[in-house]
Amino acid sequence: RHWAYMHMHGRRAISCACMLAGGASTRPALVTFDCTGTLFEPVARIGVLYKRAAVAEAWKASLARAVAAEALDEDALSAAFRSAFAEADRERPCFGAGACSSEDWWHPVVERTFAAAAAESAGCSEDALRPLLPGAFRTLYHETFVSRAGWRLRPHAADTLSALSAWREARPASEPDLKVGVVSNWDDRLPLLLERLGVRRHVDFVLTSREAGVEKPSAELFARARGLAGVAADARCLHVGDSFSRDVVGAAGAGWEALFVCSAEQRAAVGGEALAAVEHAHLESLARLPALLSLGEQPEARGAFCIPR
């Protein structure tokens, strides 16, 4: 690995992760990306999207149903979703891998979300919402969360993936190949979503926790990705993600290099002690990743490219 120096920040020594971007000898053979929070993000809060689906379905039924749906509290929906998702994940991990279909896994999540939120929303009741659930579920599962209706690309995601593709297409025969993939704790709708967001063509493979039966931070998932890419067991691999506990810790634990893409506020929330315990690099956005990998003609890509941890 190509990690370098220490510098002083106040009275405390902080390590800096330096990936030498000097040419093919230092470039990873495989780069993988997390999805949610890294390549794309919800277009609105979960509570907003769930309420939108319920209200649209309610208007098909009656004014009374619509009034009840409009009374749903968006914050209560968001909180109820987090609880329902966590409960379902404990009961049947990896979106029901080996136990049920992804669609069957999501049914109780949606039902529990609406039921719990209705109990917290004045002017609404579970009984009033129950007839709306089949239609709302169809909208959420088959439309909203597998299209641009529910997701948007993160800043610089499309440009970064396009730059990787452009470099690979123009790669001189003397340059080793660079494999690009997606490794994400997601269900089996992810390839379709990436296609609809216009970025599926930029990656060689998409590996989900649902498909693998294990999820990040498991080293097994990263080993599976290495196998799908067909790179040597000792080849350098880099994983890019926005979750310290899943992406950074997982990649480092699998012997990969890790790039933590997040804001200063997100890093502060992790805490200095945790950050210092795991070797990783950091960027606030994906915009400088092509330079980090020494792709193209960027001036900063011609020498050592250091990213503060």
Side-chain angles (χ1 to χ4, degrees), residues 158-231:
D159 289 344
T160 295
L161 291 172
S162 293
L164 291 175
S165 286
W167 182 87
R168 295 202 297 163
E169 290 173 4
R171 174 179 62 91
S174 59
E175 290 271 6
D177 195 9
L178 172 65
K179 296 293 186 180
V180 178
V182 161
V183 177
S184 190
N185 291 350
W186 244 85
D187 64 41
D188 44 16
R189 296 172 297 165
L190 182 56
L192 176 59
L193 174 58
L194 292 172
E195 182 72 36
R196 289 176 172 175
L197 291 176
V199 295
R200 174 64 181 88
R201 67 185 185 274
H202 295 306
V203 301
D204 297 305
F205 65 88
V206 177
L207 178 60
T208 66
S209 56
R210 160 82 187 185
E211 175 189 350
V214 292
E215 61 186 17
K216 294 178 294 184
S218 171
E220 185 178 343
L221 191 62
F222 290 95
R224 180 80 172 268
R226 184 189 288 270
L228 285 174
V231 300

Side-chain angles (χ1 to χ4, degrees), residues 119-179:
E120 298 293 325
S121 303
C124 187
S125 70
E126 183 178 355
D127 288 342
L129 290 182
R130 189 173 293 111
L132 310 178
L133 291 184
F137 178 84
R138 284 193 298 272
T139 297
L140 291 168
Y141 186 85
H142 292 288
E143 298 175 23
T144 302
F145 287 108
V146 72
S147 72
R148 293 179 185 270
W151 303 101
R152 63 190 172 207
L153 290 172
R154 294 272 298 159
H156 310 295
D159 289 344
T160 295
L161 291 172
S162 293
L164 291 175
S165 286
W167 182 87
R168 295 202 297 163
E169 290 173 4
R171 174 179 62 91
S174 59
E175 290 271 6
D177 195 9
L178 172 65
K179 296 293 186 180

Side-chain angles (χ1 to χ4, degrees), residues 18-23 26-28 159-160 163-164 167 178 238 259 283 285-307:
C18 296
M19 188 175 297
L20 302 184
T26 61
R27 186 180 298 116
D159 289 344
T160 295
L164 291 175
W167 182 87
L178 172 65
L238 169 68
L259 178 59
L283 287 176
S285 83
L286 291 172
R288 297 180 71 189
L289 182 57
L292 176 69
L293 296 174
S294 189
L295 305 181
E297 297 298 323
Q298 300 93 330
E300 61 266 48
R302 299 172 189 262
F305 190 63
C306 300
I307 306 172

